[in-house]
Amino acid sequence: FCACISLGSLLLEKFNFNNLNKLARLVLSAALGYVFLAYTIFTMGVLQLYRTDIFWILWSALFIFLIIRWKTVSNIIGNAFGEAYHNFKSCPLWITLPLFFILGLSFVMAFVPDLFYDSHVAYLGIPKFYLLEGGFTKCPVQYTTWPMFMQMLYLLGLGLGLEPISKLFHWSAGMLLLCAALAWGQEEKKPAGGLLSATLFLTIPMVWMNWWTGGLDIGLCLFVFLGV
């Protein structure tokens, strides 16, 4: 996650996005980093490079890049958390307590082996098929001909043999969605409104039950929200 922030923040600097608030900078840095990582893994699939050693080389490169830009990344995260703290502090408990409960529950459940049918069949199952084949290849299952964005991120964890990392990508998308709502509220000078909207969305049973799975829905919600 932090390595993706380091990649995305470099892109933001290149395009001179200097008028963003602290939360927005965190969200856009992470989202752009995810996009860059997903396209990198997609290219590896086209080149038939889905091997464990290649994924460890990719992980090492991300780690080294994070070390190089650690000062920038730590400033982005620290500033965003400070801004989020002030937003939470100014809101009533009836808004923040349900949100904290769902955050804690979803984080713990993200480490539980996935029982979601769609994940086994498509969202995690198809990336595992790509790994077995060493890259993209034809298969009677129609979903294999349309590699999905979140599947590319999941491949990093699966390629390293660490499935919980794949599920944490989906969980982090929910956290970024929360931060994006807070950033929007900050832009509109109504921080409580941003927090309330995030709480109302993330506490919908179907949302938080999907949040800790290896699905696609929360990631899709994140990028649709950012597009808006």
Side-chain angles (χ1 to χ4, degrees):
F1 176 77
C2 292
C4 288
I5 292 176
S6 66
L7 289 169
S9 63
L10 181 62
L11 293 174
L12 287 181
E13 292 171 6
K14 294 295 183 183
F15 290 102
N16 295 319
F17 283 96
N18 299 318
N19 58 341
L20 299 171
N21 64 45
K22 298 170 184 177
L23 281 164
R25 183 169 295 278
L26 170 68
V27 174
L28 290 178
S29 294
L32 286 173
Y34 279 177
V35 170
F36 183 86
L37 178 60
Y39 274 106
T40 300
I41 296 174
F42 176 83
T43 304
M44 289 167 53
V46 173
L47 298 176
Q48 302 294 303
L49 293 176
Y50 284 168
R51 302 198 307 269
T52 302
D53 56 339
I54 300 297
F55 278 103
W56 277 109
I57 290 173
L58 175 61
W59 183 88
S60 300
L62 291 171
F63 185 72
I64 292 171
F65 192 76
L66 172 62
I67 293 175
I68 294 173
R69 290 184 56 82
W70 174 248
K71 185 176 180 180
T72 300
V73 173
S74 60
N75 285 337
I76 291 173
I77 295 175
N79 292 336
F81 270 88
E83 197 166 84
Y85 173 77
H86 289 297
N87 287 339
F88 279 105
K89 191 175 180 181
S90 62
C91 291
L93 290 177
W94 65 269
I95 296 179
T96 57
L97 286 181
L99 182 59
F100 282 132
F101 172 76
I102 294 301
L103 289 177
L105 177 63
S106 62
F107 181 72
V108 172
M109 291 298 293
F111 292 91
V112 175
D114 209 331
L115 299 177
F116 187 38
Y117 175 81
D118 289 1
S119 296
H120 286 290
V121 173
Y123 306 143
L124 292 175
I126 296 304
K128 288 178 181 178
F129 169 76
Y130 293 148
L131 287 174
L132 291 173
E133 296 295 325
F136 298 141
T137 186
K138 291 183 179 180
C139 176
V141 180
Q142 61 177 340
Y143 300 112
T144 58
T145 58
W146 296 94
M148 300 179 186
F149 173 80
M150 291 301 295
Q151 286 178 329
M152 298 299 97
L153 298 180
Y154 294 162
L155 271 163
L156 178 60
L158 296 173
L160 298 175
L162 302 171
E163 184 173 315
I165 290 180
S166 300
K167 294 180 66 178
L168 284 173
F169 271 116
H170 199 221
W171 184 83
S172 69
M175 290 298 297
L176 291 174
L177 190 58
L178 166 62
C179 292
L182 291 175
W184 198 355
Q186 195 81 9
E187 290 287 342
E188 299 295 330
K189 309 300 181 184
K190 296 179 180 179
L195 186 58
L196 178 60
S197 64
T199 301
L200 290 174
F201 177 75
L202 293 174
T203 53
I204 296 173
M206 185 57 70
V207 172
W208 56 261
M209 289 175 63
N210 190 279
W211 191 1
W212 62 62
T213 69
L216 303 178
D217 305 71
I218 306 302
L220 175 63
C221 291
L222 169 65
F223 282 92
V224 169
F225 186 83
L226 293 180
V228 173

